[in-house]
Amino acid sequence: MKVKIDLPYPEVKVEEKNTYYADLLSQDYAGVVSESTAVMQYSYQHFDKSKENKEFAEIIAEIAEVEMKHLELLGETIKLLGKEPVYKTCESERGDCVFWSAKNVNYKTDLKDMLKSDINSEKGAIKNYENHKRLIKDKYIKNMLDRIILDEKRHLEIFNNIYDGLFKK
């Protein structure tokens, strides 16, 4: 099963340094709904289901790898924008930073609950990326976000299909 879209990722570039954009992307990088959370949550689900549902465990592990690629793209972009890609979200309006926490991960072990959480996470990620695309005027970053959104929509489709196949009979 293909868990990512067959299009190359764009080269990581920015028009110029912009710490406001870096702060926005830090939310996608290490917020509650973020690539960091997705990688850890999907890895946990892979470990939890590796014996009882190997098919799901394999799919979720592949999705986690794609999320790690997104994490890498965001981290490199944050660095180019003038900030370090530390696992925290910063907001100039708030005036502080909040470090990523393992509390962001949903540790439920029931597959139905896992899938509901995954579906909501992917919907939230798409919404965040779309919002950041509206706020960011840098064409290179927008291009990167567009490409990431395609993968996230594919993940949402996969999770919905698995959920429907298992629980809507």
Side-chain angles (χ1 to χ4, degrees):
M1 173 181 295
K2 292 189 179 203
V3 299
K4 71 175 192 161
I5 302 301
D6 281 335
L7 290 172
Y9 292 102
E11 179 184 354
V12 176
K13 292 170 73 169
V14 298
E15 291 177 5
E16 61 187 5
K17 286 188 177 192
N18 185 318
T19 56
Y20 172 69
Y21 291 172
D23 285 348
L24 288 174
L25 293 179
S26 75
Q27 296 167 27
D28 303 311
Y29 184 74
V32 173
V33 176
S34 68
E35 299 300 340
S36 296
T37 300
V39 168
M40 299 311 287
Q41 181 164 308
Y42 299 163
S43 295
Y44 172 77
Q45 292 175 355
H46 165 74
F47 302 140
D48 184 69
K49 295 298 177 213
S50 63
K51 288 195 170 61
E52 79 181 64
N53 192 326
K54 289 184 184 202
E55 183 181 5
F56 175 76
E58 288 174 16
I59 291 168
I60 202 76
E62 289 179 38
I63 292 174
E65 288 178 22
V66 175
E67 303 294 8
M68 282 192 285
K69 177 63 179 176
H70 299 166
L71 191 68
E72 176 186 25
L73 293 168
L74 291 166
E76 290 176 10
T77 303
I78 289 167
K79 192 156 184 79
L80 290 176
L81 288 168
K83 287 213 164 179
E84 287 301 312
V86 178
Y87 296 102
K88 64 182 177 181
T89 60
C90 298
E91 295 180 24
S92 53
E93 293 173 7
R94 193 177 62 210
D96 66 347
C97 297
V98 176
F99 282 93
W100 183 86
S101 171
K103 291 188 288 185
N104 298 340
V105 174
N106 182 327
Y107 292 104
K108 292 184 178 177
T109 58
D110 177 73
L111 184 56
K112 187 174 187 178
D113 290 337
M114 284 179 175
L115 287 165
K116 284 180 181 179
S117 176
D118 297 345
I119 288 166
N120 288 332
S121 294
E122 294 296 334
K123 285 179 179 178
I126 292 165
K127 182 180 175 186
N128 289 347
Y129 282 127
E130 294 286 357
N131 182 47
H132 292 156
K133 265 183 52 188
R134 282 189 287 281
L135 297 170
I136 293 172
K137 305 305 177 204
D138 184 303
K139 65 184 176 190
Y140 301 115
I141 298 172
K142 285 174 153 297
N143 190 27
M144 178 192 63
L145 295 179
D146 280 335
R147 177 59 189 82
I148 291 173
I149 289 168
L150 291 175
D151 284 340
E152 303 299 5
K153 286 181 176 179
R154 176 66 182 137
H155 301 163
L156 179 58
E157 177 185 23
I158 290 167
F159 291 141
N160 277 318
N161 288 341
I162 294 171
Y163 185 89
D164 291 347
L166 292 173
F167 303 108
K168 287 203 173 182
K169 295 179 180 179

